[in-house]
Amino acid sequence: MADIEDLADLAERISAIYAERFGIDRDATWYLGKMTEELGEVTSAYLKLQGQGRGTGTRADLEDEVADLLGFVLLFARWQGIDAGAALERKWGAYLASDQ
């Protein structure tokens, strides 16, 4: 399994290529809009896979959309100076400490 920072680096490299190719200014509207768009695509892929959406979907479609969403979450976190891994450990890990 890849390290979360390695995944964030990968997302950044691909995002920079995409932004340059299409002349995109990666601003707040772009980061937030892309996360929202990808969450909608995850929802759509899941519903299709369950036979509840238009058309048919595959497990690979769902996995691809989850990958896109994760990529944009990591990009947003990096843009905001958030260490996503540390934030997850702090927030979710606190439940383990209080559970014992």
Side-chain angles (χ1 to χ4, degrees):
M1 180 187 323
D3 175 89
I4 198 162
E5 282 304 312
D6 292 339
L7 294 173
D9 290 342
L10 172 65
E12 180 57 40
R13 288 194 315 268
I14 301 305
S15 175
I17 291 168
Y18 182 87
E20 184 176 327
R21 183 176 295 157
F22 295 104
I24 294 170
D25 179 23
R26 295 183 294 169
D27 60 4
T29 301
W30 184 80
Y31 284 103
L32 293 169
K34 290 303 287 183
M35 281 194 307
T36 301
E37 175 187 347
E38 294 304 336
L39 180 56
E41 291 177 9
V42 167
T43 302
S44 177
Y46 176 78
L47 290 173
K48 286 178 185 177
L49 190 60
Q50 299 303 310
Q52 297 177 0
R54 291 187 182 151
T56 59
T58 66
R59 179 69 181 192
D61 294 335
L62 179 60
E63 290 172 2
D64 287 349
E65 296 308 336
V66 167
D68 288 346
L69 178 59
L70 176 59
F72 281 105
V73 167
L74 293 173
L75 287 170
F76 177 81
R78 183 170 278 184
W79 176 63
Q80 288 297 301
I82 297 168
D83 179 335
L88 183 66
E89 286 178 342
R90 176 188 48 78
K91 173 78 188 258
W92 289 43
Y95 292 103
L96 292 176
S98 66
D99 191 46
Q100 297 176 9

